[in-house]
């Protein structure tokens, strides 16, 4: 299962790759102060995460893929590498400190 969303929260040290007309963003870290999302909900920063997002370059929409992958995603990571090959995406390395 996946869900269309607004853009993901700002973060640094993400892993990103392209596959076809889509960009995939994994992990990263958020070292900013707390902020409010589009719904007005207070969001506290997460140092590192294992969230996976897809950006459709044609439709210009973000989709949160994290719920659909469940336990198949790597552990939290920032500074990881990511590469696409044919129809698969590989994530490797990175720092897993929270």
């Amino acid at each position: 299962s996946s869900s269309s969303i607004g853009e993901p929260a700002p973060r640094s040290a993400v892993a990103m790759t392209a596959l076809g007309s889509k960009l995939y963003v994994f992990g990263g870290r958020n070292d900013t102060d707390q902020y409010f999302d589009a719904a007005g909900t207070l969001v506290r920063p997460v140092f590192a995460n294992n969230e996976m997002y897809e950006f459709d370059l044609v439709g210009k929409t973000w989709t949160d893929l994290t719920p659909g992958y469940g336990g198949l995603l790597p552990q939290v990571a920032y500074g990881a590498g990511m590469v696409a090959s044919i129809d698969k995406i590989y994530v490797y390395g990175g720092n897993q400190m929270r």
Side-chain angles (χ1 to χ4, degrees), residues 1-77:
S1 150
S2 62
S3 61
S4 291
I5 59 165
E7 62 189 44
R11 61 196 65 205
S12 62
V14 299
M16 183 168 53
T17 193
L19 188 61
S21 63
K22 304 205 172 152
L23 289 177
Y24 294 87
V25 177
F26 173 78
R29 62 189 244 181
N30 176 352
D31 5 50
T32 61
D33 293 331
Q34 61 192 24
Y35 62 94
F36 292 91
D37 65 13
T41 304
L42 179 64
V43 177
R44 304 229 182 257
V46 174
F47 186 70
N49 67 69
N50 71 335
E51 297 168 343
M52 175 76 92
Y53 294 95
E54 173 187 86
F55 182 71
D56 184 325
L57 295 166
V58 177
K60 308 286 192 248
T61 56
W62 285 99
T63 301
D64 182 355
L65 300 177
T66 309
Y69 284 93
L72 299 177
L73 291 173
Q75 293 181 358
V76 297

